[in-house]
Amino acid sequence: MPLDIVVGTQWGDEGKGRFVDLLAAQVDYVARFNGGDNAGHTVSVGQQTFKLHLVPSGVIQPHTIGVIGNGVVVNPAVLLNEIEILADAGIHISPKRLRLSHAAHIISPAHLALDQAQETARGKTKIGTTLRGIGPAYTSKVSRQGLRLVDMLDLDKFKHAVQVHVKEINQQLTNLYQVEPLNPQIVSEELCHHASQISPYIADISALLSGALLSGRRVLAEGAQGTLLDLDHGTYPFVTSSNPTAGGALTGLGLGVGFTERVIGVTKSFQTRVGSGPFPTELEGNLAQRLRGTGENPWDEFGTTTGRPRRVGWLDLVLLRYAIRVNGLTELALTKLDILTGFDQIYICTGYRIGEQLINELPYGPSDLSGFEPIYEELSGWQEDVRSVRRWEDLPLSARAYILRIEELSSVPVRLISVGPEREQVVEIT
Ligand code: IMP
Protein backbone atom coordinates (compact mmCIF):
# COMPACT_ATOMS: atom_id res chain seq x y z
CA MET A 1 0.00 0.00 0.00
CA PRO A 2 1.48 3.32 -1.06
CA LEU A 3 1.36 5.50 2.06
CA ASP A 4 4.81 6.50 3.32
CA ILE A 5 5.15 8.33 6.62
CA VAL A 6 8.02 10.64 7.50
CA VAL A 7 8.51 11.39 11.19
CA GLY A 8 11.20 13.04 13.29
CA THR A 9 12.87 10.74 15.81
CA GLN A 10 14.20 13.49 18.10
CA TRP A 11 12.90 16.86 19.36
CA GLY A 12 11.96 18.20 15.95
CA ASP A 13 14.26 20.13 13.61
CA GLU A 14 15.78 16.90 12.32
CA GLY A 15 15.65 18.21 8.76
CA LYS A 16 12.49 16.37 7.72
CA GLY A 17 11.62 19.07 5.17
CA ARG A 18 14.59 18.34 2.95
CA PHE A 19 13.80 14.60 2.74
CA VAL A 20 10.10 15.30 2.28
CA ASP A 21 11.09 17.54 -0.62
CA LEU A 22 13.21 14.72 -2.06
CA LEU A 23 10.64 11.96 -1.55
CA ALA A 24 7.85 14.21 -2.83
CA ALA A 25 9.35 13.86 -6.32
CA GLN A 26 7.79 10.37 -6.44
CA VAL A 27 4.40 11.00 -4.85
CA ASP A 28 1.09 12.64 -5.75
CA TYR A 29 0.06 14.03 -2.36
CA VAL A 30 2.09 15.43 0.53
CA ALA A 31 0.04 15.62 3.71
CA ARG A 32 0.72 17.35 7.04
CA PHE A 33 -0.99 15.49 9.87
CA ASN A 34 -0.11 17.21 13.14
CA GLY A 35 0.93 20.46 14.78
CA GLY A 36 0.53 23.91 13.31
CA ASP A 37 2.78 26.83 12.47
CA ASN A 38 5.00 25.94 15.44
CA ALA A 39 6.78 23.83 12.82
CA GLY A 40 9.51 25.29 10.67
CA HIS A 41 10.69 23.47 7.58
CA THR A 42 13.67 24.85 5.69
CA VAL A 43 14.11 23.65 2.12
CA SER A 44 16.85 24.92 -0.19
CA VAL A 45 16.42 24.64 -3.95
CA GLY A 46 19.13 26.33 -6.01
CA GLN A 47 19.47 29.92 -4.84
CA GLN A 48 16.13 29.89 -3.05
CA THR A 49 15.59 28.94 0.58
CA PHE A 50 12.01 28.36 1.71
CA LYS A 51 11.04 28.54 5.35
CA LEU A 52 7.60 26.97 5.65
CA HIS A 53 5.53 26.61 8.78
CA LEU A 54 2.14 25.33 7.74
CA VAL A 55 2.02 24.56 4.03
CA PRO A 56 3.50 21.05 3.52
CA SER A 57 7.09 21.39 2.33
CA GLY A 58 6.40 18.89 -0.46
CA VAL A 59 4.41 21.50 -2.43
CA ILE A 60 7.69 22.94 -3.68
CA GLN A 61 7.61 19.99 -6.10
CA PRO A 62 5.26 21.40 -8.76
CA HIS A 63 3.33 18.17 -9.50
CA THR A 64 2.24 17.50 -5.90
CA ILE A 65 -0.98 18.38 -4.13
CA GLY A 66 -0.46 19.58 -0.57
CA VAL A 67 -2.86 18.46 2.13
CA ILE A 68 -3.46 19.67 5.67
CA GLY A 69 -5.17 16.97 7.70
CA ASN A 70 -7.64 17.05 10.54
CA GLY A 71 -4.82 16.56 13.06
CA VAL A 72 -3.35 19.98 12.23
CA VAL A 73 -4.32 23.25 13.92
CA VAL A 74 -4.51 26.10 11.41
CA ASN A 75 -3.92 29.78 12.02
CA PRO A 76 -5.74 31.22 8.98
CA ALA A 77 -3.71 34.46 8.96
CA VAL A 78 -0.43 32.52 8.91
CA LEU A 79 -1.65 30.17 6.19
CA LEU A 80 -2.77 33.02 3.91
CA ASN A 81 0.49 34.87 4.50
CA GLU A 82 2.51 31.77 3.63
CA ILE A 83 0.53 31.29 0.41
CA GLU A 84 1.39 34.91 -0.47
CA ILE A 85 5.10 34.45 0.29
CA LEU A 86 5.19 31.34 -1.89
CA ALA A 87 3.44 33.24 -4.70
CA ASP A 88 6.13 35.94 -4.53
CA ALA A 89 8.72 33.16 -4.93
CA GLY A 90 6.89 31.89 -8.03
CA ILE A 91 5.04 28.99 -6.39
CA HIS A 92 1.32 29.53 -6.91
CA ILE A 93 -0.88 27.78 -4.41
CA SER A 94 -4.52 27.51 -5.46
CA PRO A 95 -7.28 25.21 -4.18
CA LYS A 96 -6.11 22.80 -6.88
CA ARG A 97 -2.72 22.52 -5.16
CA LEU A 98 -3.71 22.66 -1.50
CA ARG A 99 -6.59 20.97 0.31
CA LEU A 100 -7.50 21.62 3.94
CA SER A 101 -9.42 19.22 6.13
CA HIS A 102 -12.87 20.40 7.14
CA ALA A 103 -12.15 18.88 10.57
CA ALA A 104 -8.88 20.76 11.22
CA HIS A 105 -9.17 23.13 14.17
CA ILE A 106 -8.56 26.87 13.99
CA ILE A 107 -5.96 28.77 16.01
CA SER A 108 -7.51 32.14 16.86
CA PRO A 109 -5.90 35.32 18.19
CA ALA A 110 -7.41 34.36 21.56
CA HIS A 111 -5.37 31.14 21.55
CA LEU A 112 -2.22 33.16 20.87
CA ALA A 113 -2.97 35.50 23.77
CA LEU A 114 -3.61 32.53 26.07
CA ASP A 115 -0.37 30.76 25.06
CA GLN A 116 1.56 33.92 25.94
CA ALA A 117 -0.31 34.42 29.24
CA GLN A 118 0.20 30.80 30.30
CA GLU A 119 3.92 30.82 29.50
CA THR A 120 4.40 34.08 31.41
CA ALA A 121 2.53 32.64 34.39
CA ARG A 122 4.69 29.50 34.38
CA GLY A 123 7.77 31.65 34.98
CA LYS A 124 10.85 29.50 35.55
CA THR A 125 8.94 26.30 34.78
CA LYS A 126 7.86 27.52 31.36
CA ILE A 127 7.72 24.98 28.54
CA GLY A 128 9.37 27.34 26.09
CA THR A 129 6.51 27.06 23.60
CA THR A 130 6.71 28.74 20.21
CA LEU A 131 3.87 31.06 21.36
CA ARG A 132 1.86 30.11 18.27
CA GLY A 133 -1.26 29.19 20.26
CA ILE A 134 -0.75 25.46 19.73
CA GLY A 135 -1.50 24.19 23.26
CA PRO A 136 -4.60 26.38 23.73
CA ALA A 137 -5.98 25.40 20.29
CA TYR A 138 -5.63 21.68 21.03
CA THR A 139 -7.10 22.30 24.48
CA SER A 140 -10.18 23.83 22.83
CA LYS A 141 -10.36 20.79 20.53
CA VAL A 142 -10.13 18.25 23.33
CA SER A 143 -12.59 20.13 25.50
CA ARG A 144 -14.98 20.11 22.52
CA GLN A 145 -15.17 23.89 22.35
CA GLY A 146 -12.96 24.39 19.32
CA LEU A 147 -13.63 26.14 16.03
CA ARG A 148 -13.13 23.98 12.94
CA LEU A 149 -12.44 24.99 9.36
CA VAL A 150 -15.81 23.55 8.32
CA ASP A 151 -17.45 26.19 10.54
CA MET A 152 -16.13 28.83 8.15
CA LEU A 153 -18.55 27.63 5.47
CA ASP A 154 -21.53 29.20 7.28
CA LEU A 155 -20.43 32.75 7.98
CA ASP A 156 -23.34 33.82 10.18
CA LYS A 157 -22.95 30.88 12.50
CA PHE A 158 -19.16 31.20 12.41
CA LYS A 159 -19.26 34.86 13.41
CA HIS A 160 -21.37 34.00 16.43
CA ALA A 161 -19.21 30.96 17.34
CA VAL A 162 -16.03 33.07 17.24
CA GLN A 163 -17.55 35.65 19.56
CA VAL A 164 -18.59 32.95 22.05
CA HIS A 165 -15.09 31.45 21.82
CA VAL A 166 -13.34 34.80 22.44
CA LYS A 167 -15.59 35.59 25.41
CA GLU A 168 -14.82 32.20 26.91
CA ILE A 169 -11.03 32.64 26.53
CA ASN A 170 -11.35 36.23 27.80
CA GLN A 171 -12.62 34.79 31.08
CA GLN A 172 -9.37 32.91 31.45
CA LEU A 173 -7.22 35.82 30.32
CA THR A 174 -8.73 38.26 32.77
CA ASN A 175 -9.61 36.03 35.76
CA LEU A 176 -6.69 33.62 35.76
CA TYR A 177 -3.90 35.64 34.20
CA GLN A 178 -4.92 39.27 34.75
CA VAL A 179 -4.23 40.29 31.16
CA GLU A 180 -6.27 42.43 28.76
CA PRO A 181 -9.23 40.71 27.10
CA LEU A 182 -9.64 40.65 23.30
CA ASN A 183 -12.46 42.38 21.48
CA PRO A 184 -14.80 39.57 20.29
CA GLN A 185 -16.21 41.77 17.51
CA ILE A 186 -12.80 42.57 16.03
CA VAL A 187 -11.59 38.95 16.22
CA SER A 188 -14.74 37.63 14.57
CA GLU A 189 -14.50 40.21 11.77
CA GLU A 190 -10.88 39.23 11.16
CA LEU A 191 -11.60 35.51 11.09
CA CYS A 192 -14.70 35.98 8.88
CA HIS A 193 -12.55 37.95 6.46
CA HIS A 194 -10.07 35.04 6.32
CA ALA A 195 -12.95 32.55 6.00
CA SER A 196 -13.92 33.79 2.57
CA GLN A 197 -10.35 33.18 1.32
CA ILE A 198 -9.94 29.82 3.09
CA SER A 199 -13.31 28.27 2.17
CA PRO A 200 -12.42 27.16 -1.38
CA TYR A 201 -9.57 25.05 0.00
CA ILE A 202 -11.73 23.00 2.41
CA ALA A 203 -12.30 19.30 1.61
CA ASP A 204 -12.92 15.89 3.19
CA ILE A 205 -9.28 14.79 3.40
CA SER A 206 -9.96 11.26 4.62
CA ALA A 207 -12.17 10.61 1.58
CA LEU A 208 -9.77 12.38 -0.80
CA LEU A 209 -6.63 10.51 0.31
CA SER A 210 -8.29 7.11 0.79
CA GLY A 211 -9.72 7.36 -2.72
CA ALA A 212 -6.36 8.39 -4.11
CA LEU A 213 -4.54 5.52 -2.35
CA LEU A 214 -7.09 2.96 -3.53
CA SER A 215 -6.60 4.10 -7.11
CA GLY A 216 -2.83 3.62 -6.85
CA ARG A 217 -1.71 7.18 -6.11
CA ARG A 218 1.13 7.70 -3.65
CA VAL A 219 0.79 9.76 -0.49
CA LEU A 220 3.59 11.04 1.71
CA ALA A 221 2.58 11.90 5.27
CA GLU A 222 4.81 14.69 6.55
CA GLY A 223 5.23 14.89 10.30
CA ALA A 224 6.05 18.10 12.12
CA GLN A 225 8.06 18.25 15.37
CA GLY A 226 9.44 14.89 16.54
CA THR A 227 8.85 11.76 18.59
CA LEU A 228 10.28 13.21 21.81
CA LEU A 229 7.84 16.14 21.58
CA ASP A 230 4.85 13.78 21.24
CA LEU A 231 2.11 14.56 23.73
CA ASP A 232 1.82 10.89 24.76
CA HIS A 233 5.28 9.52 24.07
CA GLY A 234 7.61 12.49 24.48
CA THR A 235 9.45 14.17 27.35
CA TYR A 236 6.19 15.18 29.04
CA PRO A 237 5.38 17.90 30.08
CA PHE A 238 8.03 19.48 27.84
CA VAL A 239 6.23 18.40 24.71
CA THR A 240 3.94 19.82 22.09
CA SER A 241 0.19 19.19 22.18
CA SER A 242 -0.15 16.81 19.22
CA ASN A 243 1.06 13.36 18.12
CA PRO A 244 4.01 13.73 15.72
CA THR A 245 4.53 9.93 15.81
CA ALA A 246 3.48 7.55 13.01
CA GLY A 247 0.15 6.66 14.63
CA GLY A 248 -0.70 10.35 14.54
CA ALA A 249 -0.38 10.27 10.76
CA LEU A 250 -3.28 7.85 10.45
CA THR A 251 -5.52 9.63 12.96
CA GLY A 252 -4.47 13.05 11.69
CA LEU A 253 -5.41 12.22 8.10
CA GLY A 254 -8.30 9.81 8.67
CA LEU A 255 -6.52 6.86 7.01
CA GLY A 256 -6.62 3.14 7.77
CA VAL A 257 -3.54 1.32 9.08
CA GLY A 258 -3.33 -1.02 6.08
CA PHE A 259 -2.25 1.69 3.65
CA THR A 260 1.19 2.14 5.21
CA GLU A 261 4.32 1.01 3.42
CA ARG A 262 7.44 2.80 4.67
CA VAL A 263 7.84 4.60 7.99
CA ILE A 264 10.91 6.78 7.66
CA GLY A 265 12.52 8.20 10.78
CA VAL A 266 14.52 11.34 10.11
CA THR A 267 17.41 11.61 12.57
CA LYS A 268 19.97 14.35 12.80
CA SER A 269 23.54 12.97 13.02
CA PHE A 270 23.69 14.63 16.43
CA GLN A 271 20.98 15.74 18.83
CA THR A 272 19.30 19.18 19.11
CA ARG A 273 16.45 20.67 21.08
CA VAL A 274 14.76 24.05 21.48
CA GLY A 275 12.79 24.94 24.57
CA SER A 276 13.05 23.48 28.05
CA GLY A 277 13.22 19.87 29.18
CA PRO A 278 15.66 17.01 29.68
CA PHE A 279 18.55 16.41 27.26
CA PRO A 280 21.05 13.86 28.65
CA THR A 281 23.75 14.24 25.96
CA GLU A 282 23.66 18.06 25.89
CA LEU A 283 27.01 19.77 25.27
CA GLU A 284 28.25 23.20 26.27
CA GLY A 285 31.18 25.36 25.25
CA ASN A 286 33.31 24.96 22.11
CA LEU A 287 31.94 21.60 21.05
CA ALA A 288 28.40 22.94 21.26
CA GLN A 289 29.39 26.03 19.33
CA ARG A 290 30.84 23.92 16.52
CA LEU A 291 27.73 21.78 16.20
CA ARG A 292 25.38 24.77 16.41
CA GLY A 293 27.10 27.08 13.94
CA THR A 294 27.03 30.84 14.19
CA GLY A 295 23.57 31.53 12.84
CA GLU A 296 24.92 33.06 9.63
CA ASN A 297 23.61 30.17 7.52
CA PRO A 298 19.93 29.21 7.31
CA TRP A 299 20.88 25.63 8.23
CA ASP A 300 22.72 26.57 11.45
CA GLU A 301 21.08 25.40 14.65
CA PHE A 302 18.77 28.33 15.32
CA GLY A 303 14.98 27.81 15.41
CA THR A 304 13.23 28.37 12.05
CA THR A 305 10.11 29.60 13.83
CA THR A 306 11.54 31.46 16.81
CA GLY A 307 15.22 32.12 15.93
CA ARG A 308 16.25 30.73 19.32
CA PRO A 309 19.68 29.01 19.46
CA ARG A 310 19.13 25.26 19.71
CA ARG A 311 20.63 23.18 22.47
CA VAL A 312 22.98 20.59 20.94
CA GLY A 313 24.59 17.29 21.94
CA TRP A 314 25.79 13.87 20.77
CA LEU A 315 23.49 11.33 19.19
CA ASP A 316 21.50 9.38 21.79
CA LEU A 317 20.84 5.79 20.75
CA VAL A 318 18.65 5.01 23.77
CA LEU A 319 16.24 7.69 22.61
CA LEU A 320 16.59 6.62 18.97
CA ARG A 321 15.72 3.00 19.81
CA TYR A 322 12.72 4.33 21.71
CA ALA A 323 11.62 6.34 18.65
CA ILE A 324 12.03 3.24 16.47
CA ARG A 325 9.73 1.33 18.80
CA VAL A 326 6.93 3.87 19.17
CA ASN A 327 6.84 4.65 15.45
CA GLY A 328 7.54 1.18 14.04
CA LEU A 329 10.24 2.67 11.81
CA THR A 330 11.22 0.68 8.74
CA GLU A 331 14.25 2.86 7.93
CA LEU A 332 16.30 5.84 9.02
CA ALA A 333 17.23 8.98 7.09
CA LEU A 334 20.25 10.70 8.57
CA THR A 335 20.74 14.46 8.19
CA LYS A 336 23.69 16.82 8.55
CA LEU A 337 26.49 14.27 8.40
CA ASP A 338 28.67 17.07 6.97
CA ILE A 339 28.47 19.00 10.27
CA LEU A 340 30.41 16.22 12.00
CA THR A 341 33.37 16.67 9.62
CA GLY A 342 36.51 17.89 11.40
CA PHE A 343 35.94 16.33 14.82
CA ASP A 344 38.80 14.10 15.98
CA GLN A 345 36.41 11.94 17.93
CA ILE A 346 32.66 11.46 17.75
CA TYR A 347 30.54 10.04 20.53
CA ILE A 348 27.36 7.98 20.56
CA CYS A 349 25.35 7.54 23.74
CA THR A 350 24.61 3.82 24.00
CA GLY A 351 23.06 3.69 27.47
CA TYR A 352 22.73 5.56 30.77
CA ARG A 353 24.14 5.15 34.22
CA ILE A 354 22.06 6.04 37.22
CA GLY A 355 24.04 5.45 40.40
CA GLU A 356 25.40 1.91 40.04
CA GLN A 357 22.69 0.88 37.62
CA LEU A 358 23.20 0.63 33.84
CA ILE A 359 20.15 1.33 31.67
CA ASN A 360 19.67 0.55 27.97
CA GLU A 361 15.96 1.10 27.84
CA LEU A 362 13.92 3.77 29.58
CA PRO A 363 11.80 2.40 32.40
CA TYR A 364 8.91 4.84 31.97
CA GLY A 365 9.54 6.51 28.65
CA PRO A 366 11.63 9.66 28.35
CA SER A 367 9.72 11.97 30.75
CA ASP A 368 12.05 11.86 33.70
CA LEU A 369 15.65 11.73 32.55
CA SER A 370 17.04 13.63 35.49
CA GLY A 371 20.07 11.94 37.01
CA PHE A 372 20.63 9.80 33.89
CA GLU A 373 24.27 10.01 32.95
CA PRO A 374 25.07 9.07 29.36
CA ILE A 375 27.47 6.21 28.63
CA TYR A 376 29.40 7.07 25.49
CA GLU A 377 31.08 5.00 22.85
CA GLU A 378 33.97 6.82 21.18
CA LEU A 379 34.44 6.61 17.42
CA SER A 380 37.07 8.15 15.16
CA GLY A 381 36.07 11.30 13.36
CA TRP A 382 36.97 12.23 9.78
CA GLN A 383 38.57 15.29 8.23
CA GLU A 384 37.51 14.87 4.59
CA ASP A 385 34.85 17.20 3.21
CA VAL A 386 31.81 15.00 2.51
CA ARG A 387 29.60 17.65 0.89
CA SER A 388 30.22 16.51 -2.66
CA VAL A 389 29.89 12.80 -1.90
CA ARG A 390 26.89 11.09 -3.57
CA ARG A 391 27.76 7.40 -3.17
CA TRP A 392 28.13 5.32 -0.03
CA GLU A 393 31.51 3.96 -1.10
CA ASP A 394 32.89 7.51 -1.45
CA LEU A 395 32.20 8.44 2.18
CA PRO A 396 35.28 8.45 4.44
CA LEU A 397 35.82 5.14 6.23
CA SER A 398 35.16 6.68 9.65
CA ALA A 399 31.91 8.25 8.46
CA ARG A 400 30.78 4.86 7.19
CA ALA A 401 31.81 3.27 10.48
CA TYR A 402 29.70 5.84 12.34
CA ILE A 403 26.63 5.06 10.23
CA LEU A 404 27.15 1.29 10.40
CA ARG A 405 27.39 1.55 14.18
CA ILE A 406 24.09 3.46 14.30
CA GLU A 407 22.50 0.69 12.23
CA GLU A 408 23.99 -1.98 14.46
CA LEU A 409 22.84 -0.32 17.68
CA SER A 410 19.37 0.45 16.35
CA SER A 411 18.71 -2.62 14.16
CA VAL A 412 17.18 -0.39 11.49
CA PRO A 413 18.82 0.36 8.12
CA VAL A 414 19.94 3.88 7.20
CA ARG A 415 18.65 4.49 3.67
CA LEU A 416 19.30 8.20 3.14
CA ILE A 417 22.08 10.49 4.33
CA SER A 418 22.24 14.23 3.77
CA VAL A 419 25.68 15.79 3.38
CA GLY A 420 24.65 19.41 2.82
CA PRO A 421 21.59 21.63 2.61
CA GLU A 422 21.03 21.43 -1.16
CA ARG A 423 18.43 19.14 -2.68
CA GLU A 424 21.05 16.99 -4.45
CA GLN A 425 23.43 16.70 -1.47
CA VAL A 426 22.15 13.26 -0.55
CA VAL A 427 23.63 9.77 -0.44
CA GLU A 428 21.00 7.16 -1.15
CA ILE A 429 21.72 3.59 -0.04
CA THR A 430 19.70 1.10 -2.08
P1 IMP B 1 4.47 24.42 21.26
O1 IMP B 1 4.31 23.33 20.25
O2 IMP B 1 4.60 25.79 20.63
O3 IMP B 1 3.38 24.38 22.28
O4 IMP B 1 5.84 24.19 22.04
C1 IMP B 1 6.04 23.07 22.90
C2 IMP B 1 7.48 22.56 22.81
O5 IMP B 1 7.71 22.01 21.52
C3 IMP B 1 8.54 23.65 22.98
O6 IMP B 1 9.67 23.10 23.62
C4 IMP B 1 8.90 24.03 21.55
O7 IMP B 1 10.20 24.57 21.45
C5 IMP B 1 8.81 22.67 20.89
N1 IMP B 1 8.50 22.72 19.46
C6 IMP B 1 7.32 22.97 18.88
N2 IMP B 1 7.41 22.92 17.55
C7 IMP B 1 8.68 22.60 17.26
C8 IMP B 1 9.38 22.37 16.04
O8 IMP B 1 8.85 22.41 14.94
N3 IMP B 1 10.70 22.08 16.18
C9 IMP B 1 11.32 21.97 17.38
N4 IMP B 1 10.69 22.18 18.54
C10 IMP B 1 9.38 22.48 18.49
Side-chain angles (χ1 to χ4, degrees), residues 19 59 82 86 91 108 114 157-158 169-170 174 253 255 285 305 313 318 320 324 357 394 404 417:
F19 283 133
V59 298
E82 213 158 279
L86 283 169
I91 297 173
S108 79
L114 193 53
K157 269 200 203 158
F158 184 59
I169 301 251
N170 276 347
T174 52
L253 295 171
L255 291 176
T305 303
V318 183
L320 181 57
I324 289 166
Q357 210 187 340
D394 296 333
L404 289 172
I417 304 159

Side-chain angles (χ1 to χ4, degrees), residues 11-14 16 36-41 115 119 127-136 224-226 229 237-242 273-277 305-306 308 310:
W11 284 290
D13 307 320
E14 296 89 353
K16 294 175 291 295
D37 60 295
N38 49 348
H41 294 159
D115 200 356
E119 277 290 83
I127 292 165
T129 76
T130 58
L131 301 176
R132 301 298 163 114
I134 305 296
Q225 290 86 46
L229 288 173
F238 299 103
V239 291
T240 191
S241 300
S242 69
R273 167 163 216 176
V274 272
S276 321
T305 303
T306 58
R308 290 179 287 181
R310 294 180 188 140

Side-chain angles (χ1 to χ4, degrees), residues 130-202:
T130 58
L131 301 176
R132 301 298 163 114
I134 305 296
Y138 280 113
T139 303
S140 292
K141 174 177 175 173
V142 173
S143 65
R144 295 160 293 187
Q145 290 173 307
L147 300 164
R148 304 196 300 167
L149 290 183
V150 70
D151 300 330
M152 288 182 152
L153 298 177
D154 182 337
L155 271 186
D156 284 340
K157 269 200 203 158
F158 184 59
K159 192 173 171 184
H160 177 70
V162 173
Q163 294 190 9
V164 170
H165 156 77
V166 175
K167 284 178 194 160
E168 190 268 324
I169 301 251
N170 276 347
Q171 297 270 348
Q172 299 182 53
L173 290 173
T174 52
N175 295 339
L176 285 179
Y177 302 108
Q178 290 78 46
V179 298
E180 286 296 306
L182 278 78
N183 183 323
Q185 185 70 27
I186 293 178
V187 175
S188 78
E189 272 166 25
E190 184 189 323
L191 281 175
C192 285
H193 174 66
H194 295 325
S196 54
Q197 292 164 277
I198 297 267
S199 295
Y201 291 88
I202 296 173

Side-chain angles (χ1 to χ4, degrees), residues 1-3 27-29 65 209 211-219:
M1 285 290 179
L3 169 70
V27 306
D28 304 286
Y29 294 86
I65 296 175
L209 293 184
L213 285 161
L214 288 171
S215 65
R217 301 286 181 89
R218 294 199 74 93
V219 176

Side-chain angles (χ1 to χ4, degrees), residues 13 32-41 51-56 68 71-83 105-109 111-112 115 129-138 224-225 240 242 303-308:
D13 307 320
R32 274 278 307 268
F33 59 83
N34 77 295
D37 60 295
N38 49 348
H41 294 159
K51 285 182 185 268
L52 300 174
H53 300 282
L54 202 48
V55 173
I68 291 184
V72 177
V73 281
V74 177
N75 181 328
V78 172
L79 178 66
L80 292 169
N81 182 252
E82 213 158 279
I83 290 174
H105 278 247
I106 294 171
I107 300 179
S108 79
H111 290 133
L112 294 177
D115 200 356
T129 76
T130 58
L131 301 176
R132 301 298 163 114
I134 305 296
Y138 280 113
Q225 290 86 46
T240 191
S242 69
T304 314
T305 303
T306 58
R308 290 179 287 181

